[in-house]
């Protein structure tokens, strides 16, 4: 089966610092990766779509300068939360799509707490 | 109006009960639909795809009604391990974007 990993699985940082989250497809090449955010008792909300070798497409209301996405290879996308604030505390989940198949495979998520 | 709407629950049912979840979607161009299961503090996991003809996987039956833009999930003979949040998900017509419903929480009690 397709496996997607995320690192770190949880992180606590101070307000104003930046945090990088990695999403890797371990056994397949992912032309497209997606970044979601989930606040407590809410559903997943798509933040951005990341295509290998091109700029990410951000959903409405998501600041591209705050949430930097890099998809430099077919197996790795990174999300950097810059100048994090407590309201950025959330569960960040990535998913990867294999080739032209519609199925998305989800990573285990990264729990970010900003103090 | 949310694109995919679900009753948030919680549904509290005894073991062995049959429980049904409903979901409606607003984008008539959505191409495919799925039910995902999400346990607390975990990523969502695909439970099953949903087809107009209806599909069954063991104790789980999913149904899609395109005319009414309505999706259902039926769980028979509930187990304690079925306790989770069930997410109704629509895939856009370009096959790119998944839109998640708010989820329905199920708690199966002994």
């Amino acid at each position: 089966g397709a496996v997607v990993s995320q690192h770190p699985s949880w992180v606590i940082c101070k307000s104003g610092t930046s945090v990088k989250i990695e999403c890797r497809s371990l056994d397949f090449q992912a032309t497209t990766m997606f970044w979601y955010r989930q606040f407590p008792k809410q559903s997943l909300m798509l933040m951005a779509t990341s295509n290998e070798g091109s700029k990410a497409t951000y959903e409405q209301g998501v600041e591209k300068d705050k949430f930097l996405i890099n998809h430099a290879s077919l197996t790795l996308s990174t999300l950097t939360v810059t100048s994090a604030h407590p309201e950025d505390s959330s569960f960040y989940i990535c998913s990867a799509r294999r080739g032209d198949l519609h199925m998305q495979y989800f990573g285990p998520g990264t729990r970010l707490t900003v103090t | 109006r949310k694109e995919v709407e679900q009753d948030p629950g919680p549904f509290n049912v005894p073991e062995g009960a049959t429980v049904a979840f409903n979901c409606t979607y607003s984008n008539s161009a959505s191409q495919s639909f799925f039910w995902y299961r999400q346990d607390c503090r975990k990523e969502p996991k695909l439970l099953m795809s949903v087809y107009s003809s209806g599909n069954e996987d063991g104790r789980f039956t999913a149904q899609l009604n395109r005319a009414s833009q309505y999706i259902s999930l039926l769980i028979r003979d509930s187990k304690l391990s079925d306790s989770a949040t069930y997410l109704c998900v629509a895939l856009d017509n370009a096959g790119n974007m998944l839109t998640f419903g708010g989820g329905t929480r199920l708690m199966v009690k002994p």
Side-chain angles (χ1 to χ4, degrees), chain B residues 19-89:
Chain B
V19 61
F21 303 140
N22 303 320
C23 166
T24 57
Y25 62 95
S26 60
N27 184 356
S28 59
S30 296
Q31 131 182 173
S32 305
F33 303 89
F34 310 91
W35 283 101
Y36 278 74
R37 171 196 168 125
Q38 187 176 25
D39 292 290
C40 189
R41 295 176 176 264
K42 299 284 187 182
E43 78 277 21
K45 292 186 186 293
L46 179 65
L47 182 64
M48 60 198 304
S49 301
V50 188
Y51 305 114
S52 297
S53 54
N55 49 306
E56 188 174 308
D57 183 1
R59 298 180 294 108
F60 300 84
T61 301
Q63 188 77 51
L64 164 65
N65 184 322
R66 286 195 183 271
S68 303
Q69 295 182 199
Y70 173 95
I71 300 156
S72 64
L73 176 68
L74 184 76
I75 304 176
R76 291 180 298 277
D77 189 22
S78 300
K79 311 290 185 192
L80 295 176
S81 57
D82 294 334
S83 298
T85 296
Y86 290 82
L87 303 167
C88 177
V89 185

Side-chain angles (χ1 to χ4, degrees), chain A residues 34 36 38 42-44 46 59 91 93 97 102-104 106-108 111, chain B residues 31 34 36 38 41-44 46 87 91 95-98 100-102:
Chain A
F34 303 85
Y36 296 84
Q38 185 176 34
Q42 295 185 30
S43 193
L44 281 74
L46 180 65
E59 295 301 303
F91 191 43
I93 306 175
R97 190 172 72 187
H102 298 326
M103 188 63 64
Q104 291 184 27
F106 286 86
R111 192 161 298 280
Chain B
Q31 131 182 173
F34 310 91
Y36 278 74
Q38 187 176 25
R41 295 176 176 264
K42 299 284 187 182
E43 78 277 21
L46 179 65
L87 303 167
L91 179 66
N96 290 326
M97 194 167 98
L98 292 177
F100 286 81

Side-chain angles (χ1 to χ4, degrees), chain A residues 41-43 45, chain B residues 1-6 8 24-27 99-103:
Chain A
K41 297 187 187 265
Q42 295 185 30
S43 193
M45 295 298 294
Chain B
R1 184 187 169 188
K2 293 181 184 176
E3 282 195 42
V4 179
E5 293 208 61
Q6 295 179 248
T24 57
Y25 62 95
S26 60
N27 184 356
T99 300
F100 286 81

